[in-house]
Amino acid sequence: MTETPPDSQRSPFRLVAVLVPVALIAASLLLYRAELRARLPVEAAVRTYGIDIRRPLEAEMIGYSPAADIGSQVFAMAAVSDALGRVRLKGLDQIERDAWLDVPTKLEAELAVARNLSLDAAAARPGWPMHRYLLGKVAYTADRRTIEREIVPSRWLIPLRSAARSAPGADSAAETLAAVTLEAWETIPESDRRDAQELFRRAFLDPSFVRKAWGVSANAIGAELASGAVPESAPSLMAAARSAAAMGEGRVAESLYRRWESAEWKEREADLTEMRTRSERGDWTGLVGASRGWASKHSPRDFDTPAAREQLEEILRLWPRDQVSAWAGSRQAEILRYFLAGRMDGIDGEVLAGAASSLSGVPFPTQARLFLAAGLVRSAEELASGSVTKGTFEWTDYYVDLARYHLARNARESAVEALDRIAATARGECDAALLRASLAAAPPPPEPIAMTAPDGSILPEAWATNGMLSLCVDPRATAGRTLVVELVTEGDGLVEWGWNDARSATVSAAGGASTIRVPLSGLDGRNVFFARPALGGKIVSRAARVE
């Protein structure tokens, strides 16, 4: 049996059990009173500068902020917005209007208070880099708004650099540091300019910042160094290339563009690898996100090569089929249209038809073509025969595909029947005419590739105003031959070319002239060639011939 300790032995423990909660309560009250005192300066600033009248949401945020230094952060942001932002007085009542009209008379004092509050906030919470970021932003805003005021770069450079180092993932800190450095470049000491390239590199991860600031950085540190500051990120490289071209820095623009080609392909491959990994792990939710991520970042028309077609086919094969989306505006639909534009050879039709199965609103002629590509002839024919628009122009491509399907299986009569189903006024179109000629007992002469002159050159009027050249490629006449296109551009630049709205390659127009030689072997039927400036500019003249 356990003996109960006497009261003399239990009394010390009872005393401790009473004193500890009392001490904790007292400490909490002291901390609470200290917090209330710490909030007094920012609350006074809210009233003094009319934040509670002009910006009630910010005033409410300050009131509900978990700590005084967080409230000071909100006040600092409001002060910067007062200095740099705009306000519409229309619709305000008289009290609000007067408060806003009073801002210019108090703005310098408001910024000074915001700077002091930011200093106190940074001291109270030294591990939070956003306090240093706002301190630098407030100090710079105050410096730049008064012409007579002495610019002291250290007032804002030191806190901004500290914030950018402490928060490498915060775009706002890096971009603000880069922006104010460029804007105040002439006032910054030489010692603080030496690491400018590295400083810009982090900010240039954001392509929108590149578009706004690359040209300014090129003027400050030189185009070559500004080019080196752009990271190997495809969107940033393209934005910088366009800016360089607009400035007339042709050599730098071409270098950036070539880096973009390499970075874009690597990113496409890396994102495809992510899709493969998700698929192998059975992570279908992750695979959906990875598939949509790939399609949102990359255009199927940036590359038209055998490797690019294999890549896009795998994208469609991996894309989960249980996620239904609309054909209009769908990324999958964009890839399918890429293949339907004369790129079906060697592609697994079942993959294409399977991808379309998860799309709603697919046009019937398109759906029938995809069924046919998958070998589902009966399904394709049921769709075609049941359509109220059968026999119209929109079914021409399907009937041409059907005729080719039968001809590949030596079913010549079925191929002729398919061609006879084409609308009468469309039977003379390139693809239909070439197929009918191949089925004739005595084939007619080859179709002309385009409007040509007596010397065989393609007439200038064959070119559309948008720089496209529509050709009817008859393999009987073009096998082993080459399309030669000579271009004249305004100054040096880059010209991208390709077929059916997808880029095959990009060439340099050194001295304002370039010659593109394109083999015609492997092409059949209607194909549209294009040549256009890759980074802006203008093509002055185009000439083409077949050799």
Side-chain angles (χ1 to χ4, degrees):
M1 186 173 179
T2 304
E3 293 184 3
T4 302
D7 291 343
S8 60
Q9 294 182 13
R10 287 187 295 173
S11 58
F13 296 103
R14 289 177 176 173
L15 182 61
V16 170
V18 172
L19 291 178
V20 168
V22 171
L24 292 175
I25 293 172
S28 298
L29 290 173
L30 290 173
L31 288 173
Y32 177 68
R33 290 173 63 86
E35 176 64 25
L36 290 179
R37 286 195 300 271
R39 289 173 180 266
L40 292 177
V42 68
E43 290 173 351
V46 166
R47 293 189 298 272
T48 301
Y49 300 105
I51 301 295
D52 52 341
I53 299 172
R54 298 182 294 108
R55 300 180 181 274
L57 289 179
E58 283 88 337
E60 191 174 359
M61 288 173 63
I62 292 171
Y64 285 116
S65 59
D69 61 297
I70 304 300
S72 298
Q73 182 175 311
V74 177
F75 181 85
M77 289 189 289
V80 171
S81 183
D82 284 346
L84 304 180
R86 297 179 179 180
V87 62
R88 289 177 58 87
L89 297 178
K90 185 178 179 180
L92 301 180
D93 61 33
Q94 191 60 46
I95 295 176
E96 292 172 325
R97 187 189 298 268
D98 291 344
W100 277 109
L101 292 174
D102 201 31
V103 167
T105 64
K106 298 181 177 180
L107 187 54
E108 188 170 352
E110 182 183 353
L111 288 170
V113 170
R115 180 174 180 271
N116 291 334
L117 288 173
S118 297
L119 281 168
D120 293 340
R125 200 182 298 269
W128 183 237
M130 289 299 103
H131 287 329
R132 282 165 275 157
Y133 159 66
L134 283 170
L135 171 60
K137 196 167 184 177
V138 169
Y140 181 74
T141 302
D143 271 7
R144 73 185 289 273
R145 67 176 303 274
T146 306
I147 298 177
E148 297 80 8
R149 182 168 180 162
E150 180 187 2
I151 301 295
V152 184
S154 60
R155 273 200 292 250
W156 35 270
L157 270 182
I158 290 175
L160 284 175
R161 283 176 177 270
S162 175
R165 282 194 303 268
S166 302
D171 291 346
S172 57
E175 291 174 16
T176 299
L177 174 59
V180 301
T181 299
L182 287 172
E183 190 172 276
W185 184 258
E186 296 301 326
T187 67
I188 295 176
E190 186 64 32
S191 59
D192 288 325
R193 296 182 184 182
R194 292 170 186 165
D195 62 344
Q197 188 182 41
E198 187 62 33
L199 182 152
F200 297 150
R201 182 173 287 111
R202 170 61 186 83
F204 283 164
L205 282 172
D206 181 357
S208 63
F209 186 78
V210 176
R211 284 190 287 271
K212 292 183 289 187
W214 189 89
V216 183
S217 69
N219 289 330
I221 64 176
E224 291 287 350
L225 288 177
S227 170
V230 183
E232 298 305 307
S233 167
S236 295
L237 287 166
M238 178 54 74
R242 294 189 186 282
S243 296
M247 293 177 64
E249 295 286 351
R251 187 170 57 83
V252 173
E254 180 170 358
S255 173
L256 287 163
Y257 184 91
R258 298 305 180 189
R259 287 170 59 194
W260 166 80
E261 285 183 309
S262 176
E264 173 64 20
W265 185 257
K266 288 178 181 177
E267 289 176 18
R268 288 164 71 110
E269 283 290 296
D271 291 340
L272 176 55
T273 299
E274 176 68 12
M275 289 180 64
R276 293 186 189 120
T277 301
R278 298 289 184 179
S279 178
E280 290 167 0
R281 293 176 178 174
D283 179 7
W284 301 117
T285 301
L287 180 57
V288 170
S291 302
R292 292 175 177 171
W294 194 102
S296 67
K297 290 189 290 184
H298 310 293
S299 169
R301 302 186 184 278
D302 282 341
F303 294 89
D304 187 16
T305 62
R309 296 182 188 185
E310 290 178 8
Q311 185 185 71
L312 291 170
E313 182 182 7
E314 186 174 2
I315 295 292
L316 292 180
R317 180 180 289 109
L318 291 172
W319 201 305
R321 305 283 170 80
D322 57 351
Q323 296 291 317
V324 179
S325 57
W327 170 268
S330 166
R331 300 291 184 175
Q332 284 174 282
E334 186 178 358
I335 299 175
L336 289 172
R337 283 191 289 267
Y338 167 88
F339 283 117
L340 288 167
R343 301 181 180 91
M344 304 282 278
D345 289 347
I347 302 300
D348 187 345
E350 293 185 6
V351 172
L352 303 185
S357 68
S358 63
L359 299 173
S360 63
V362 181
F364 286 169
T366 300
Q367 184 68 75
R369 292 183 68 191
L370 294 171
F371 279 152
L372 190 61
L376 304 174
V377 183
R378 178 177 295 180
S379 297
E381 283 290 75
E382 288 177 356
L383 198 59
S385 61
S387 172
V388 296
T389 62
K390 64 181 178 181
T392 60
F393 286 107
E394 68 177 358
W395 285 93
T396 300
D397 288 338
Y398 166 71
Y399 294 136
V400 168
D401 286 354
L402 182 61
R404 286 175 176 155
Y405 176 87
H406 289 310
L407 188 58
R409 288 155 183 79
N410 206 29
R412 301 174 67 86
E413 291 183 1
S414 297
V416 172
E417 290 176 2
L419 292 175
D420 288 341
R421 294 163 65 184
I422 295 175
T425 51
R427 291 174 188 173
E429 292 184 2
C430 177
D431 294 276
L434 292 180
L435 274 172
R436 194 172 292 278
S438 68
L439 290 167
E447 290 281 329
I449 192 169
M451 292 185 292
T452 55
D455 62 357
S457 61
I458 297 174
L459 294 176
E461 50 264 38
W463 289 89
T465 55
N466 58 2
M468 294 187 177
L469 179 64
S470 182
L471 301 176
C472 183
V473 183
D474 189 337
R476 295 177 295 163
T478 58
R481 304 188 72 183
T482 300
L483 175 68
V484 180
V485 181
E486 295 178 347
L487 305 171
V488 177
T489 61
E490 289 183 344
D492 296 344
L494 293 172
V495 175
E496 59 184 21
W497 65 268
W499 295 99
N500 304 324
D501 203 29
R503 187 184 71 96
S504 296
T506 302
V507 298
S508 176
S514 62
T515 300
I516 302 170
R517 304 182 68 87
V518 187
L520 294 173
S521 298
L523 295 176
D524 184 5
R526 179 65 63 190
N527 286 275
V528 180
F529 175 85
F530 71 86
R532 60 196 176 206
L535 298 173
K538 184 179 180 181
I539 294 179
V540 179
S541 66
R542 300 174 174 86
R545 65 184 184 277
V546 176
E547 295 181 348

